[in-house]
Amino acid sequence: MNAVNLSTASRRGRRVVIVGTQWGDEGKGKIVDWLTERVSGVVRFQGGHNAGHTLVVNGRKTVLRLIPSGILHPHVTCYVGNGVVLSPQALLSEIDELQSSGLAVEQRLKVSGACPLILPVHVALDQAREAARGAGKIGTTGRGIGPAYEDKVARRAVRLVDLANPERLRARLADIHLLHNHVLTGLLKAEPVDPEATMASLMAMAPRLLAMMSDVPELLHGAMVRGEDLLFEGAQGSLLDIDHGTYPFVTSSNCVAGAVGPGAGVGPTDLDYVLGLTKAYATRVGSGPFPTELNDAIGARLAERGNEFGSVTGRPRRCGWFDAAALRRSTRINGVTGLCITKLDVLDGLDEIRLCVGYNTPQGRVDVLPFGADAVEACTPIYETMPGWRGTTAGVQRWEDLPREAQAYLQRLSEVVGTPISMVSTGPDREETILLDHPFGTA
């Protein structure tokens, strides 16, 4: 018997996933915002408020931490999927900040009732653990992300939907605090957290939060049946993925494109295009191996010109040459369709530019980033050297207007990684973009 398509949609909408292919901070916010002009919905599917997406529109900077970057477009509905761990305080603070500028947010924000909540006890645990690690710290932001994911996997999380049942909420808070306060006071020698204070705080925020609570997978299914275009926005970067990154110096969620399925409730066949973002050089925040890191004047120059400081934490980012061997792994595990290269203008004016194409290791040469921090730490980069350029790439909007050496660098980058370039970002504003292949196709 042949399958029958019961959809009444006149067209199949396009569904595009945007992921970072390095250690995060690749400039996803701007690109999501730029592509949002073509979509009806933007979906966040993992992570927490430990990473920020910076948008610059008409010279005005906005930093978003939990709310999808499409929120600046009045026609767009924004969804927060169940793969996100949610800080109620951070979410409402971000909403208030946006609404104070006249932007309608709460009416267009749909939050999954299955989102685990980040509680004050999670923050206390995160910070106490990092302090106890001393020199061996992982470099977390101390915002409670990891402990909240731990409770989710252990099946003891408080979820957004629990705010609708105060009796059940109080019981769950009691159980969680019994465990975590024992660790805080007994093992980490830190102060306990009062579950009743947390209960009172959650109840005060509950009316606003529950008004936004939605069945996100069902809403997305309806949008797809209607043929709407959707954009799925990842946080952090693929090399910080809990399974595929430089473990243990990673985040606590899956950052790769495949996380859209469990994190938002859509199937793999519902997705059409994976856009992988990467800087024209490399950066990393916090601890962990970084084969191409530059602890010299060039590294300092990249940091200064690229304004390499965390948008949420303000922490300085470590800078280095572009690592094609790391990008090969990222493009493969994400199934990247096309690359978007950001911050090309930061390389303007260098006499020469180096490109890592593989590593020497104790076991011999490898051309793909190995698994785990220990193996990556043993890698020595193998470089190709290319001439720099004297002209500027800042604000360029056409490929042919790039300096010839910049074109050659990008072409070689694409060739070594084995993935075509779809877009080049030449500045922070929406219009400072070169488009080679639109992820949503022709208008």
Side-chain angles (χ1 to χ4, degrees):
M1 180 177 178
N2 293 329
V4 178
N5 183 4
L6 300 180
S7 171
T8 59
S10 59
R11 63 181 287 270
R12 185 191 191 281
R14 293 275 290 177
R15 276 83 77 170
V16 173
V17 186
I18 290 186
V19 293
T21 57
Q22 296 170 306
W23 285 282
D25 308 308
E26 298 93 351
K28 294 180 287 296
K30 171 206 167 169
I31 302 303
V32 171
D33 176 65
W34 190 82
L35 289 174
T36 297
E37 294 180 352
R38 290 284 300 273
V39 307
S40 65
V42 179
V43 187
R44 174 79 179 271
F45 59 90
Q46 50 79 218
H49 65 304
N50 55 334
H53 289 173
T54 301
L55 291 70
V56 179
V57 181
N58 297 325
R60 179 177 178 178
K61 184 170 79 170
T62 300
V63 178
L64 300 173
R65 295 161 287 274
L66 277 169
I67 299 173
S69 299
I71 199 67
L72 299 187
H73 295 258
H75 71 282
V76 170
T77 300
C78 288
Y79 305 87
V80 177
N82 58 276
V84 174
V85 286
L86 193 71
S87 165
Q89 295 92 340
L91 177 64
L92 295 182
S93 176
E94 192 170 328
I95 289 173
D96 290 341
E97 183 179 339
L98 291 171
Q99 292 189 155
S100 67
S101 64
L103 188 68
V105 176
E106 291 184 61
Q107 303 92 322
R108 296 186 291 121
L109 187 62
K110 311 298 181 183
V111 184
S112 172
C115 283
L117 300 186
I118 300 174
L119 307 173
V121 73
H122 295 137
V123 178
L125 271 173
D126 200 358
Q127 295 177 358
R129 285 174 179 172
E130 279 289 271
R133 289 188 181 106
K137 65 181 180 179
I138 293 173
T140 77
T141 58
R143 282 166 166 74
I145 309 298
Y149 273 116
E150 290 172 32
D151 276 354
K152 172 185 176 177
V153 174
R155 293 169 291 190
R156 58 173 173 255
V158 170
R159 305 200 295 177
L160 179 58
V161 68
D162 294 326
L163 299 189
N165 188 329
E167 184 178 345
R168 181 173 63 189
L169 174 62
R170 176 171 272 109
R172 290 197 171 179
L173 287 174
D175 288 342
I176 288 173
H177 285 75
L178 181 65
L179 172 66
H180 293 327
N181 279 335
H182 177 72
V183 174
L184 280 168
T185 60
L187 181 63
L188 299 172
K189 309 305 179 186
E191 293 297 316
V193 177
D194 181 8
E196 282 301 317
T198 299
M199 178 73 184
S201 175
L202 289 175
M203 285 293 92
M205 294 182 285
R208 290 181 70 186
L209 294 168
L210 291 174
M212 293 180 281
M213 187 174 72
S214 304
D215 184 343
V216 168
E218 190 61 20
L219 292 177
L220 294 177
H221 174 74
M224 291 187 288
V225 167
R226 292 189 297 271
E228 297 178 13
D229 293 328
L230 297 172
L231 190 60
F232 295 84
E233 173 187 25
Q236 286 91 31
S238 301
L239 300 181
L240 293 176
D241 185 275
I242 186 67
D243 288 307
H244 299 281
T246 49
Y247 191 91
F249 300 98
V250 292
T251 193
S252 300
S253 62
N254 287 111
C255 314
V256 294
V260 170
V266 300
T269 57
D270 292 324
L271 307 176
D272 300 300
Y273 194 106
V274 178
L275 182 66
L277 266 71
T278 176
K279 288 176 182 172
Y281 51 103
T283 63
R284 178 164 196 166
V285 173
S287 305
F290 184 6
T292 65
E293 184 173 9
L294 293 169
N295 294 305
D296 58 13
I298 294 178
R301 182 182 189 276
L302 295 177
E304 180 182 1
R305 287 180 57 89
N307 191 29
E308 294 297 353
F309 298 91
S311 55
V312 170
T313 64
R315 291 186 298 176
R317 300 178 186 135
R318 301 149 64 191
C319 296
W321 295 119
F322 184 85
D323 191 336
L327 260 289
R328 286 193 194 99
R329 179 169 292 283
S330 287
T331 56
R332 293 169 185 176
I333 62 178
N334 283 292
V336 170
T337 312
L339 291 171
C340 173
I341 311 299
T342 64
K343 290 198 169 184
L344 178 65
D345 57 297
V346 174
L347 300 180
D348 289 354
L350 290 174
D351 293 330
E352 62 180 30
I353 298 171
R354 306 185 82 185
L355 174 68
C356 172
V357 296
Y359 314 111
N360 286 318
T361 76
Q363 292 75 38
R365 174 169 175 158
V366 297
D367 295 320
V368 176
L369 187 79
F371 272 118
D374 291 343
V376 176
E377 195 71 60
C379 290
T380 302
I382 300 170
Y383 288 114
E384 289 182 2
T385 301
M386 302 188 67
W389 51 88
R390 290 301 175 189
T392 182
T393 64
V396 173
Q397 298 179 29
R398 301 191 311 163
W399 175 268
E400 54 269 29
D401 293 336
L402 289 173
R404 178 175 51 85
E405 295 85 358
Q407 294 180 26
Y409 173 68
L410 292 174
Q411 288 168 341
R412 181 56 180 157
L413 183 156
S414 174
E415 177 183 319
V416 174
V417 173
T419 306
I421 294 174
S422 299
M423 304 168 65
V424 181
S425 174
T426 56
D429 215 303
R430 285 176 181 170
E431 304 307 314
E432 296 173 325
T433 308
I434 299 170
L435 178 63
L436 302 174
D437 175 37
H438 204 300
F440 286 100
T442 55

